[in-house]
Amino acid sequence: MFADLHIHSRFSDGTYAPEEVVAEGRKHGFAVLALTDHDTAEGCAAAAAACAAAGMEFIPGVELTAEQDGHELHILGYGFDPTHALLLAQTEQFQGVRQQRIREMVARLNGLNVPLEADAVFALANCRAPGRPHVARALVAAGVCSSLDEAFERFLKKHRPAWVPKFKISATDAMELIHQAGGAAVLAHPGLNRVDEMIPDLVSAGLDGIECFHTKHSTATSQRYLEMADRLGVLVTGGSDCHGMNKGQPLLGSIRLPYLHVEQLKRRVAEIRTTANRTGAAPSPAIHLHP
Ligand SMILES: [Zn+2]
Ligand SMILES: [Zn+2]
């Protein structure tokens, strides 16, 4: 039995509806799926229902963009309550930040004499957590660029003329939020962020696991993180980071995480929930957005 624990849907920058994610996952023979949209868990209810109907297991997930010591890193949350009030309030705030960033990127494009309206991007994105891939798609739809790659290369990549820095929460606040909502916090694709030396500190601050298996990790990279997870005594997770058709070909099926790791994740979530219940209604952490 295998799992893919890192998948995006139409509720952020993926192209599949949650039901399509599940249908694709079923085709590939997965026993377990997790949906991990950026800054929203909105798709989880539909994905859970589709998984139940298909006889598959579903784990609610989310991917938060965080920052530690000036480095961007992504924190995955798993097994939390998707209707948790604090989680909903905070993700709504992150979504507002994303929408504002789209407006600023469009303003920069307009300054470069590229005619594009923010509303066109929002209409195309049709979700509360829009991102750069939606701007890229709007640029292709408007005939300004011939491909998503060209849109990123010319305008949207870091330090290109229409790039706007993204405001992020601290990794500690992201992990705290996930724990409060009853979930486990996992560092996404560390091989892409070059944050190895920070991982022991992140574990001390509450990190529960490392995404060792990822489409963009080489075998050697996965091995390095497996050893690190073992050494630090944290969970091992893995996923394709499939965005449907948004990043070329659908990646679902490229990573097959053995079920053993899902069992360990579920055990950790149960522990977190027991602790959360014991401490009762903990006061909400003050989560501050900072550049
Ligand atoms: Zn990511
Ligand atoms: Zn992702």
Side-chain angles (χ1 to χ4, degrees):
M1 297 216 294
F2 294 97
D4 185 336
L5 300 183
H6 193 155
I7 309 171
H8 296 267
S9 80
R10 212 178 266 170
F11 282 92
S12 65
D13 54 356
T15 59
Y16 290 143
E19 294 83 358
E20 292 173 296
V21 167
V22 174
E24 287 298 310
R26 193 181 187 196
K27 262 192 241 168
H28 287 282
F30 284 108
V32 188
L33 296 177
L35 200 64
T36 52
D37 276 312
H38 296 287
D39 296 337
T40 182
E42 266 180 292
C44 287
C51 274
M56 293 157 70
E57 206 176 320
F58 178 72
I59 297 178
V62 71
E63 182 170 22
L64 302 177
T65 309
E67 189 178 48
Q68 189 87 351
D69 304 330
H71 290 265
E72 177 171 319
L73 43 89
H74 294 181
I75 302 285
L76 295 159
Y78 289 116
F80 51 82
D81 168 10
T83 65
H84 191 271
L86 179 65
L87 182 88
L88 289 176
Q90 290 296 335
T91 49
E92 194 177 323
Q93 193 183 348
F94 304 151
Q95 292 156 20
V97 168
R98 284 179 165 273
Q99 292 161 18
Q100 184 54 32
R101 187 182 186 216
I102 300 281
R103 288 190 196 94
E104 287 171 28
M105 284 192 281
V106 168
R108 290 196 187 203
L109 286 165
N110 294 161
L112 297 162
N113 292 322
V114 174
L116 187 72
E117 286 183 20
D119 283 345
V121 180
F122 294 137
L124 183 149
N126 191 27
C127 72
R128 293 194 182 93
R132 280 184 300 170
H134 295 121
V135 181
R137 277 166 61 190
L139 286 169
V140 172
V144 176
C145 297
S146 59
S147 69
L148 301 180
D149 274 351
E150 186 196 332
F152 273 89
E153 285 300 327
R154 273 175 67 191
F155 300 115
L156 303 173
K157 256 174 73 168
K158 193 169 184 179
H159 304 314
R160 291 291 194 267
W163 176 74
V164 172
K166 193 187 205 173
F167 287 76
K168 314 165 191 88
I169 52 165
S170 76
T172 312
D173 285 346
M175 295 189 289
E176 176 71 20
L177 175 60
I178 291 162
H179 287 155
Q180 287 226 4
V186 172
L187 180 62
H189 47 64
L192 304 189
N193 300 85
R194 298 187 181 86
V195 291
D196 286 19
E197 65 288 350
M198 292 176 206
I199 294 177
D201 284 345
L202 290 169
V203 171
S204 303
L207 187 73
D208 301 293
I210 300 174
E211 187 178 55
C212 299
F213 301 104
H214 182 272
T215 312
K216 289 194 173 164
H217 282 180
S218 67
T219 307
T221 301
S222 296
Q223 191 57 37
R224 186 165 91 241
Y225 292 115
L226 284 169
E227 284 163 17
M228 199 181 288
D230 186 50
R231 198 163 61 240
L232 295 168
V234 296
L235 302 167
V236 168
T237 73
S240 62
D241 213 351
C242 179
H243 283 72
M245 309 302 268
N246 239 355
K247 299 209 169 159
Q249 284 306 299
L251 298 170
L252 228 156
S254 63
I255 297 289
R256 301 174 76 78
L257 181 75
Y259 192 76
L260 154 83
H261 299 297
V262 176
E263 282 176 329
Q264 289 171 344
L265 172 62
K266 290 199 291 187
R267 264 204 294 278
R268 179 75 194 118
V269 168
E271 281 170 14
I272 290 165
R273 292 202 170 204
T274 310
T275 313
N277 287 339
R278 211 170 33 236
T279 54
S284 305
I287 291 176
H288 303 288
L289 294 170
H290 58 85

